[in-house]
């Protein structure tokens, strides 16, 4: 999409926070009818993290503090905080407000975005718009979820998939149009609502004894149905974004896929013609952390020295809604 932009939005700092407690596949063997072998072959997950004392704001705050400490960013410099999450501390106030207070970002405004597993991409796009228009100079975009708070640990299909975590990026402007956000394709399709949702606790089914008895405060997922559309959605949109920008697989340095299932990741990479070494993966250690998957991959690969200035990186996700999309970014940090 050709758009007149004053600036390009670039990532200038990154941070992440994962709690210490590990839930490995052996643990799941002890609580539901499953095996380490089944989980690894069907999902690629070996372990995930769980926050024992704390909420999503603690994961988000941990990520923000890690970012500020490692990149020497002062809280009062931040103009705007956007938190992508499906597990806000409370329905209101926004988790962004709690983070703002925790880190002392005295000059910031902010809000939450809910787009499930695509949350980081939608929040990233929103943050970039504030930078591109010149409205903000420093936007903190955080993806954080305490998925263990909405997971039914008696249900083997879903409980093995999810974990807790948070990760953040800082967006700033540059006049160099060859860097930062270049293009995106984002989509929603509400006809997918019935396959992946949490029915209780909102205005449709306010919490009652009955909603709790019916386990409506947990994730509901028709895994097989979601799997099929996730594969198609992520692969199609990533391929379309490459075509739209005349990119071959040689041009793409990395795919950063949402980490829901290793088989979905592999199918997306295959459609894009990318070898495994061009795909960022941390699903084996953290499982599906919803809004935190993409930014935490970026943090880990950046810190391992695997990303360099000028690299063309495609971020891609699929999640409840349905929501999905792909975003093309050129890495700007030396
Ligand atoms: N351990 C052992 N067996 C399990 C199991 C587990 N943890 N979970 C499911 N099974 C069983 C099923 O009961 C089924 O048994 P049956 O054939 O006797 O009925 C069998 O394994 C196959 O189930 P199926 O649902 O076809 O497995 P799958 O290969 O599709 O994998 C998911 C299940 C949930 C891992 C997979 O569907 C998935 O990843 N879905 C999409 C998740 C996603 O991307 N979400 C969107 C973004 S959040």
């Amino acid at each position: 999409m050709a758009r007149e932009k004053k600036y390009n939005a670039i990532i200038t700092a990154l941070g992440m926070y994962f709690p210490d407690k590990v839930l490995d596949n052996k643990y799941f063997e002890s609580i539901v009818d499953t095996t380490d072998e089944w989980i690894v072959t069907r999902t690629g997950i070996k372990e995930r993290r769980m926050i024992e004392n704390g909420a999503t704001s603690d994961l988000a705050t941990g990520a923000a503090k890690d970012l500020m400490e490692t990149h020497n960013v002062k809280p009062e410099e931040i103009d705007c905080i956007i938190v992508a999450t499906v597990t806000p501390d409370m329905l209101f106030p926004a988790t962004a407000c709690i983070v703002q207070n925790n880190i002392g970002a005295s000059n910031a405004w902010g809000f939450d975005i809910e787009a499930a597993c695509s949350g980081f991409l939608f929040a990233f796009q929103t943050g970039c718009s504030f930078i591109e228009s010149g409205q903000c100079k420093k936007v903190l975009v955080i993806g954080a979820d305490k998925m263990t708070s909405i997971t039914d640990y008696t249900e083997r299909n879903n409980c093995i998939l999810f974990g807790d975590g948070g990760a953040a990026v800082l967006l700033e402007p540059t006049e160099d149009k060859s860097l930062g956000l270049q293009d995106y394709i984002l989509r929603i399709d509400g006809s997918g609502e019935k396959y992946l949702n949490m029915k209780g606790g909102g205005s449709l089914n306010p919490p009652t004894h009955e909603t709790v008895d019916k386990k409506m405060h947990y994730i509901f997922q028709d895994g097989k149905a979601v799997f099929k559309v996730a594969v198609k959605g992520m692969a199609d949109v990533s391929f379309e974004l490459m075509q739209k920008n005349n990119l071959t697989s040689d041009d793409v340095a990395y795919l950063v896929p949402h980490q829901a299932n290793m088989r979905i990741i592999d199918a997306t990479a295959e459609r894009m013609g990318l070898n495994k070494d061009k795909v960022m993966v941390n699903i084996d250690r953290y499982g599906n952390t919803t809004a935190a998957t993409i930014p935490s991959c970026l943090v880990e690969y950046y810190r391992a020295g695997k990303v360099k200035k000028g690299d063309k990186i495609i971020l891609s996700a699929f999640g409840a809604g349905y929501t999905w999309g792909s975003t093309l970014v050129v890495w700007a940090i030396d």
Side-chain angles (χ1 to χ4, degrees), residues 11-282:
I11 296 172
T12 58
L14 306 91
M16 68 178 202
Y17 177 81
F18 284 91
D20 293 335
K21 183 175 169 132
V22 174
L23 302 182
D24 62 12
N25 290 349
K26 283 273 169 232
Y27 168 74
F28 286 91
E29 286 182 351
S30 75
I31 60 164
V32 289
D33 181 14
T34 192
T35 61
D36 172 56
E37 199 263 332
W38 191 95
I39 300 172
V40 172
T41 18
R42 304 309 288 165
T43 71
I45 302 167
K46 292 180 181 150
E47 54 186 49
R48 13 25 227 127
R49 301 297 177 97
M50 179 185 218
I51 185 165
E52 290 183 278
N53 298 304
T56 295
S57 65
D58 297 297
L59 302 165
T61 299
K65 284 185 174 167
D66 180 42
L67 178 151
M68 293 190 298
E69 278 162 24
T70 52
H71 294 267
N72 198 22
V73 176
K74 305 216 168 9
E76 57 276 13
E77 295 170 16
I78 298 167
D79 300 317
C80 181
I81 301 169
I82 307 176
V83 176
T85 188
V86 285
T87 51
D89 287 23
M90 296 170 258
L91 275 182
F92 65 88
T95 301
C97 298
I98 300 164
V99 174
Q100 178 277 332
N101 191 44
N102 286 348
I103 65 174
S106 48
N107 296 310
W109 67 296
F111 50 91
D112 291 358
I113 281 188
E114 198 276 88
C117 294
S118 308
F120 180 77
L121 284 196
F122 285 38
F124 183 82
Q125 191 59 42
T126 307
C128 286
S129 302
F130 292 133
I131 296 288
E132 290 170 351
S133 65
Q135 292 178 71
C136 293
K137 293 262 178 291
K138 282 189 169 72
V139 178
L140 184 60
V141 179
I142 307 174
D145 272 297
K146 182 184 173 184
M147 295 306 288
T148 59
S149 67
I150 56 168
T151 298
D152 178 358
Y153 285 96
T154 64
E155 214 263 303
R156 70 173 181 176
N157 294 295
N158 280 326
C159 70
I160 51 121
L161 297 171
F162 296 100
D164 301 338
V169 300
L170 188 72
L171 301 174
E172 292 188 71
T174 177
E175 289 182 5
D176 183 344
K177 298 290 167 64
S178 70
L179 297 175
L181 174 67
Q182 301 294 310
D183 199 8
Y184 68 97
I185 304 170
L186 299 177
R187 305 247 189 269
I188 61 171
D189 177 1
S191 69
E193 165 256 328
K194 53 183 166 295
Y195 302 106
L196 183 48
N197 58 49
M198 192 179 100
K199 294 181 180 64
S203 58
L204 181 63
N205 299 296
T208 60
H209 288 293
E210 192 191 357
T211 64
V212 174
D213 288 345
K214 289 185 172 169
K215 300 188 169 190
M216 291 162 78
H217 54 297
Y218 290 135
I219 302 159
F220 166 82
Q221 173 166 234
D222 178 343
K224 207 172 278 213
V226 175
F227 186 87
K228 278 189 206 139
V229 282
V231 165
K232 187 165 163 41
M234 259 172 70
D236 281 356
V237 85
S238 302
F239 186 67
E240 191 184 334
L241 191 65
M242 283 173 73
Q243 285 192 313
K244 198 173 156 209
N245 288 276
N246 298 316
L247 298 177
T248 67
S249 52
D250 289 341
D251 300 321
V252 177
Y254 282 106
L255 165 68
V256 194
H258 170 54
Q259 314 277 307
N261 186 313
M262 200 58 216
R263 291 181 291 143
I264 301 175
I265 296 172
D266 287 342
T268 305
E270 193 182 329
R271 179 78 186 280
M272 295 167 75
L274 298 180
N275 295 329
K276 281 195 185 317
D277 59 350
K278 286 190 169 188
V279 184
M280 292 194 191
V281 171
N282 64 14

